[in-house]
Amino acid sequence: MAEIINENESKNFIHTFIEEDIAPGGRYEGMQVHTRFPPEPNGYLHIGHCKALIIDFGSAEKYGGICNLRMDDTNPEKEDDEFVDAIQEDIHWLGFDWGDRFFYGSDYFEKDYELAVGLIKKGLAYVCQLSPEEFKRNRGSIGVPAVSPYRDRPIEESLDLFARMRAGEFPEGSMTLRAKIDLASGNFNMRDPVIYRIKYVEHHRQGTKWCIFPMYDFAHPIQDALEGITHSLCSLEYEDHRPLYDWVIANTDVPSRPRQIEFARLGINYTVMSKRKLRELVQQGKVSGWDDPRMPTLCGLRRRGYTPESIRNFCERIGVAKVPSVVEYSFLEHCLREDLNAHAQRAMAVIRPVKLTITNYPEGQTEVFPVENNPEDETAGTREVSFSRELWIESDDFMVEPPKKYNRLFVGNEVRLKSAYIVRGTGYRTDETGKVVEVLAEYDPETRGGNTPDGRKVRGTIHWVDAATAVDAEVRLYDNLFSDPDPDGPGKNFLECLNPDSLEVLRGCKVEASLAGATAPKQYQFLRLGYFAVDNKDSRPDALVFNRAVALKDGFKPANK
C-alpha cells in the first residue's frame, strides 16, 4: 500500500548526524562539509536518483559545504558518454552545480591498483582462482563459514599473479583479487569479498588500457577518501556494506576518513525505478526513448512539463527516512500542480473541436477581449483574445440530449463564453453518421465580458477559440505508464502491467493565437483542461505539439486531512 505523506513531519536524520560531526568535539570539527553524488553513467537519471542528488547537493548547500560530481565508471560494460552528458544536464536543470569538482571513478584506477597492491603486501588480500561457480558453492551459509583454498597463498605469489592479471595474461573469470577479512563473518559482504576482477571490455574513457577493474565496494571508499569527502551519503542497500567501506578506509593508505550514512530509496507507485527495466522499456520500443514523457527519468519529466522547483519541492517534502516506503505518484503531481498554478500562463485551447456559429453576430466583425494571464498572480497582466462569428468549442460542451444537471450548451440553454458573451443554443448540424459537426447559437450583445445586467443566472461557462485566428496543434494526453500500482511486485512481469491507455494523441486541436510560435519549455494552463507544456523534441513553431503535464484535478490527500 502506498504511503500518504504527512507534509508537517520532518525526517532528516542525516542533518542531525552532520551537525553532531561538525560541532565542537565532533569527528569533523572545524572542517567543511564535503559530500559527493556518484551516479553510474549507464543510463539516464530518474526521480529516485533525484532524491539522492538533492540530499547530496542540498546537505552540502545547507551547511556551507561543497559537493563533488563523480561518475562511477568502474564497470565498463554499459557505460557511455551519452549518459555522462545527460546526467550533467539534468543536475544543472535542477539548479545544482559542482564547479570544478567533476571527477570520474576511472580517474583513480592507478591509485586503486596501488592500494590493492598495498593490501597484498600487508597480507590483507590474495589472488583467488575459484571460478564464479566454485565461489558461490564455497560461500557457506549462516553458521557455516566460507571456504577459500587460496587464502594462504604466499604474498609474493599473489603480487606476481596480480601484476600478470593486469598485464592480460589470464582469461576473464579465471582469477580475482579478494580481501582477506573473515570467512566466518555473519555479514556475507565481509567473507573475503572480491575487490578486483578481470574484464576484457573497452572502457568509455580508458579504452583498452585496463583489463582488471575494481569492485564498487573497494573503489568507492577510496574515491571518497582521496577527494576528502566527509559524509558519504548513500541508499539503504549499502548499510550491510558499511563494515566493508570502513575496513577499506582503515586498511589502505588513504588521506581521510569519510563517514557513510544510509537513507531509504525513493519508491513511487505506478512506476519502476530499475535502470535495467527502464532500459528494457526503451530497447523493446514500449516507450519512444529515455525521454518519453511517461518515463520517470528526469529528461522524461522535463519533456512532459515538470519544473525543477516542483521536483525539488517533492523530494524535500517527502523527507529522508531510514525505512523504505512507497510514495503516491499523485503527490508528485500535486507538487507540480501547485507550482504551475502559481506560475503558468493561462490560455484557451480546444482539443476536441466542434464549430460554434453565432448566427446573429455580424459577419466579418471581429472584437478583442482582455483575458487575465494568471488569476493567481496580479503582476501577470492580461492578453487580448480575438472573437468573431465562428468559434471552436469542445465537442463535449454541447449535447443534443443532455442529462440532468448538465450546465453546458444545448438547444434552449444559455452558457457564458469565457470573458466574452452569453450565448443560447438554437440548433446544430450533423454529418451522415449523425455526429454533430456544427453548433448554432445566438449571442446577447448586452452581456459583453460575460456580464448579466438583468441579473439572470447562467450556470455554465465554457472556453472557446476564435476560428479566424486559431492555431492548429497536436496534443498528447499522458497517463501513468503502468496500470498496476505495484508493477515491480513479487511474481509480476512488469511488462504485462503496462497501461494500454497511457498515451492519447489528438491532432487538429485549436489553440488561441497568442500561442503561435510557442517554444519549450513554456508551460500553460489550458482552461478547464489541465497544465500543458510545449514538447521540447517534436514541437516546431509551425507545427506545435503540447504535452499534458498534469490534469487540473488533484487526487492527492495528505494524511492529516
Side-chain angles (χ1 to χ4, degrees), residues 101-117:
R101 297 177 305 280
F102 177 63
F103 305 100
Y104 289 90
S106 58
D107 291 340
Y108 306 103
F109 278 174
E110 195 65 54
K111 189 64 177 179
D112 294 334
Y113 180 81
E114 175 189 322
L115 295 175
V117 169

Side-chain angles (χ1 to χ4, degrees), residues 272-283:
V272 297
M273 295 290 195
S274 161
K275 274 196 287 188
R276 178 185 63 80
K277 291 180 178 178
L278 295 177
R279 185 183 299 108
E280 194 171 345
L281 290 170
V282 173
Q283 292 174 342

Side-chain angles (χ1 to χ4, degrees), residues 339-360:
D339 186 39
L340 294 183
N341 184 55
H343 301 109
Q345 180 178 317
R346 274 47 172 177
M348 289 197 284
V350 175
I351 62 175
R352 294 180 174 88
V354 65
K355 183 70 67 68
L356 171 66
T357 301
I358 304 174
T359 56
N360 65 333

Side-chain angles (χ1 to χ4, degrees), residues 346-348 358 361 367-375 381-388 391 393 415-423 443-452 458 460-466 512 525 527-528:
R346 274 47 172 177
M348 289 197 284
I358 304 174
Y361 192 86
E367 293 181 77
V368 293
F369 291 93
V371 182
E372 69 276 9
N373 285 326
N374 188 337
T382 61
R383 67 192 185 283
E384 290 189 337
V385 178
S386 66
F387 181 92
S388 63
L391 309 174
I393 64 172
V415 298
R416 181 179 287 104
L417 297 179
K418 167 69 178 174
S419 299
Y421 291 106
I422 291 173
V423 298
Y443 85 116
D444 181 347
E446 300 300 316
T447 60
R448 194 177 197 281
N451 298 313
T452 52
V458 177
T461 299
I462 65 174
H463 63 280
W464 51 273
V465 173
D466 183 5
E512 67 176 66
Q525 184 197 97
L527 296 185
R528 302 173 63 222

